Each structure stands twice: as C-alpha cells, then as structure tokens.
Amino acid sequence: VQLGTGDADMNQKMHAALSGLLQWKDVQVVLTKNPIDANGASLVPDGLDVTVQRYFPLANVLSAFDGAIAATGYNSVHELLPAAIPTVFISNIRGTDDQDARAKWCHDHGYALRANHADLADISATVGRLSDPVLRKNLQSKCGELSNTSGASEIAALLLTLATSTEKQPKKL
C-alpha cells in the first residue's frame, strides 16, 4: 500500500484502503511509511497485520506482492503495470497532474481497478474486490499484453542516429 499520509483526506483514504484489506484471508500488508495521522494516531484498523519497510526503489521487489494499492502517480503506474501487479489505483487530486484520468484509463482498458477517490466506501469495496484470485489473474494477464514500455531501444536508436549523422546539429544556446 503506497498512498501517502499527512493530509486529512489522504489519511481517510489510507484508512479506507486498509479497511478493504480486512476482506483478504491471511493478508500481510506492507507500507513504506508508518500509517499515522498528524497526532500520531494509527490509521490501521483493528485486526490488520501491517509491516512498515523502508525500501526503495520498490520496482526491484514488486514481484514479491500479490497486489498493490497505490496513488495514480506517473511513476507508480509505469512501475506497477509493466510488473503485472494487480492494482487498485486511488487518485490524489493535487493539481500537479490528472491522476484521476490516468486511473480511469487504466481501469477502462482492464489493466487495474480504479477506486473513486471521493468515496471512502468505494475505496474499501474496490480494495476488497482485489482479494479475488480470478480478478487478480485477469489483471495480470491484461498487463502482460502491454508492449515493452522502457523506451530503451528507441532512445538507443535515436542516440546512434545523432552520433553517426553527418549533418551538423544546430548549436543550442
């Protein structure tokens, strides 16, 4: 689970997401940050086993997880989908980018689930849906259809073209 905490709405979303995980059988929840509010009160509902692991980058260990609940930031989407990790995206609405449009696209194309960021009950219910092994398998399969998104081949070809070009490149000031 990686949503962030601190702002009141994020704390509520975190609690709702963690509450949805109560529907999972024998679940072990891993977070990268202690889930507490500004007053130090825990956001973890009773009965949920949570471990905090300060480990980055998460991309190196994603295959260890059966599912993810994450904000719909650019990096999270571009790490979780290619790793084929069944995911529930919960958007942060901060004005820096359109996370909700990104979450909707992922959901509409079958790559991930989208929880309504403005509806705490929907967040809990959608996270609960991810406990279904058939649904997780379907999301994994759909993500497996994605083309290689690293861009490494395209960048290497571009650099090779630039390096071997006989045309003078304009100087940039």
Side-chain angles (χ1 to χ4, degrees):
V1 179
Q2 192 171 25
L3 296 176
T5 57
D7 295 331
D9 70 323
M10 288 310 303
N11 291 343
Q12 293 170 344
K13 291 176 188 180
M14 176 65 81
H15 182 77
L18 293 174
S19 296
L21 288 170
L22 288 169
Q23 297 177 43
W24 287 59
K25 184 179 183 207
D26 300 321
V27 68
Q28 170 62 56
V29 181
V30 178
L31 293 105
T32 58
K33 182 179 177 184
N34 197 9
I36 57 173
D37 66 17
N39 298 317
S42 177
L43 301 173
V44 180
D46 290 338
L48 191 63
D49 184 15
V50 171
T51 299
V52 176
Q53 291 290 323
R54 298 290 301 165
Y55 182 89
F56 297 99
L58 289 176
N60 294 339
V61 295
L62 287 177
S63 61
F65 297 98
D66 295 319
I69 295 94
T72 321
Y74 182 87
N75 290 340
S76 294
V77 170
H78 287 86
E79 290 174 356
L80 291 165
L81 294 187
I85 305 301
T87 302
V88 173
F89 285 121
I90 304 168
S91 302
N92 290 329
I93 308 302
R94 297 287 181 261
T96 54
D97 69 340
D98 194 347
Q99 286 195 13
D100 207 41
R102 190 178 296 123
K104 187 173 182 337
W105 184 91
C106 292
H107 178 85
D108 290 350
H109 288 86
Y111 298 116
L113 299 179
R114 171 188 171 261
N116 180 346
H117 65 89
D119 183 341
L120 298 176
D122 185 64
I123 291 172
S124 294
T126 303
V127 169
R129 285 184 54 218
L130 196 62
S131 67
D132 179 349
V134 173
L135 175 61
R136 289 196 313 272
K137 183 68 177 160
N138 290 341
L139 292 170
Q140 282 179 314
S141 295
K142 186 64 178 175
C143 287
E145 296 173 9
L146 288 167
S147 62
N148 182 345
T149 58
S150 73
S153 297
E154 292 85 355
I155 294 296
L158 178 61
L159 291 173
L160 182 61
T161 300
L162 289 172
T164 59
S165 174
T166 58
E167 292 181 31
K168 288 187 174 185
Q169 299 297 318
K171 290 184 180 179
K172 294 193 177 192
L173 302 175

